[in-house]
Amino acid sequence: MNSLLFSTAFLGLLPSLAAEYDASVPKPTHSEVSYGPHKRNVLDFWKAPSDQPTPLAFVIHGGGWGGNSKEAIHKFVDTTKLLDAGISVVAINYRYLKQAGELSPPVKAPLFDAARALQFVRSKADDWNIDKARIGAVGGSAGGCSSLWLAYRDDLAEPESDDPVARESTRLHCVAGIRVQTTLDPKQMKAWIPNSRYGERAFAKKDFAEFLAERDELMPEIKQYSPFHLLTADDPATYLFYKTPPNPGGNEKDPTHSANFGVGLLERCEELGVDCEFVHPRLEDVVHPTATDYLITFLSQSPG
């Protein structure tokens, strides 16, 4: 798996990004740390001061797996608030869909890059003072979908690998998705949000109509990457945040980020007994108004 996904054939496909962090984001402890061979296989790390190993928030940026960068971290979490709570932070870049090369479907590139970055961070636990057992992923939109995929899929650790990074776990203590797509099944999307138009590029289809028409043939692959289809009863606590209220079965102004995605996953979580907190504007008695608040609560708890 690693030799294919991280082949040096992907080197040199994209010039270095010139993005800068928002003024609200403190300077990283370590910047542009490479976790793989591609130029976008880099991450930044903020170390929380502590005598004991710290929990970690693992941030995956959004952008439809085709744009944006780790410097957008302020759109998803409050880095300073996490550090003040004793939680270290990582923000990653990853290959875009158009950079997937020989990988099929293209969504393998950003998803397996995220997994590799997580394994790399765990391999640095001693150097960076990280508690491997208390890592939570968080992301917006496609970055949230990547986060849920990491949380729900089986562990990618390869205990017998000669690569020490590949031997590390990809499991999470908790996960948070912001305006996140919770399914990659086009038929399910149409049932939840009739004017859906998301996901075709992840499976190398020219448009949503083609994606929907070929759905039955694609289902074996869709089930490998769609969070809804991967969720099982032993998966970690989940937080879902949306800026608009749910409109079950109705057309949406922004179908790609509809809270109907949250309704569908919440129902599945409740069916399986997975802890899920679903936040939207019509919700009363909100416990955690933001993903940052949620991560502070859950990452401060001991595993088990």
Side-chain angles (χ1 to χ4, degrees):
M1 183 269 291
N2 288 326
S3 61
L4 171 64
L5 290 169
F6 297 97
S7 166
T8 54
F10 296 122
L11 283 169
L13 293 181
L14 189 75
S16 298
L17 296 173
E20 295 183 357
Y21 282 107
D22 185 80
S24 65
V25 180
K27 182 179 179 181
T29 308
H30 300 296
S31 299
E32 300 296 309
V33 179
S34 176
Y35 66 83
H38 193 273
K39 285 188 176 181
R40 282 194 55 83
N41 292 155
V42 293
L43 58 81
D44 291 349
F45 170 69
W46 292 259
K47 185 178 182 179
S50 176
D51 294 333
Q52 300 297 320
T54 68
L56 178 88
F58 184 85
V59 186
I60 308 175
H61 71 77
W65 293 310
N68 221 328
S69 70
K70 55 185 168 58
E71 286 78 14
I73 190 173
H74 62 284
K75 297 180 180 180
F76 313 117
V77 296
D78 184 330
T79 307
T80 298
K81 191 172 181 179
L82 288 167
L83 294 171
D84 288 345
I87 297 171
S88 296
V89 181
V90 157
I92 73 165
N93 280 350
Y94 49 81
R95 282 172 292 175
Y96 297 142
L97 296 173
K98 64 185 178 182
Q99 297 162 334
E102 62 192 281
L103 295 179
S104 180
V107 74
K108 270 189 174 181
L111 293 183
F112 279 88
D113 280 4
R116 176 71 179 189
L118 177 57
Q119 290 175 304
F120 174 83
V121 169
R122 275 202 166 100
S123 76
K124 300 290 286 183
D126 289 342
D127 293 340
W128 291 356
N129 197 36
I130 293 168
D131 181 350
K132 292 184 182 184
R134 289 189 291 164
I135 297 178
V138 56
S141 192
C145 193
S146 296
S147 298
L148 294 179
W149 177 82
L150 278 175
Y152 300 160
R153 68 145 295 124
D154 292 341
D155 200 336
L156 283 166
E158 300 174 17
E160 306 303 320
S161 176
D162 292 334
D163 177 4
V165 173
R167 294 197 292 264
E168 297 287 348
S169 174
T170 58
R171 295 296 286 169
L172 294 167
H173 182 58
C174 62
V175 63
I178 302 165
R179 303 170 72 225
V180 58
Q181 302 81 33
T182 61
T183 182
L184 293 178
D185 175 358
K187 184 177 179 180
Q188 193 170 45
M189 288 187 221
K190 289 288 286 185
W192 291 354
I193 312 155
N195 62 330
S196 287
R197 54 174 186 264
Y198 184 81
E200 69 276 2
R201 291 178 300 159
F203 295 90
K205 301 306 170 184
K206 66 180 180 181
D207 54 32
F208 190 84
E210 182 180 76
F211 187 28
L212 184 61
E214 299 184 17
R215 178 259 186 186
D216 290 348
E217 179 183 344
L218 289 168
M219 275 309 295
E221 286 189 330
I222 289 171
K223 287 180 178 179
Q224 295 182 53
Y225 305 106
S226 171
F228 180 94
H229 296 82
L230 290 168
L231 182 67
T232 54
D234 61 344
D235 285 329
T238 298
Y239 176 88
L240 304 171
F241 175 90
Y242 293 88
K243 291 183 176 181
T244 56
N247 179 30
N251 287 338
E252 293 280 69
K253 183 177 180 180
D254 180 8
T256 299
H257 303 105
S258 169
N260 294 356
F261 281 113
V263 173
L265 188 64
L266 175 65
E267 291 176 352
R268 183 62 173 157
C269 285
E270 290 177 340
E271 178 185 341
L272 293 172
V274 175
D275 185 272
C276 183
E277 186 173 334
F278 176 36
V279 176
H280 58 80
R282 288 186 187 155
L283 186 70
E284 297 180 0
D285 302 321
V286 174
V287 178
H288 300 103
T290 70
T292 298
D293 298 320
Y294 180 85
L295 290 169
I296 290 172
T297 293
F298 276 80
L299 291 177
S300 297
Q301 299 173 355
S302 297

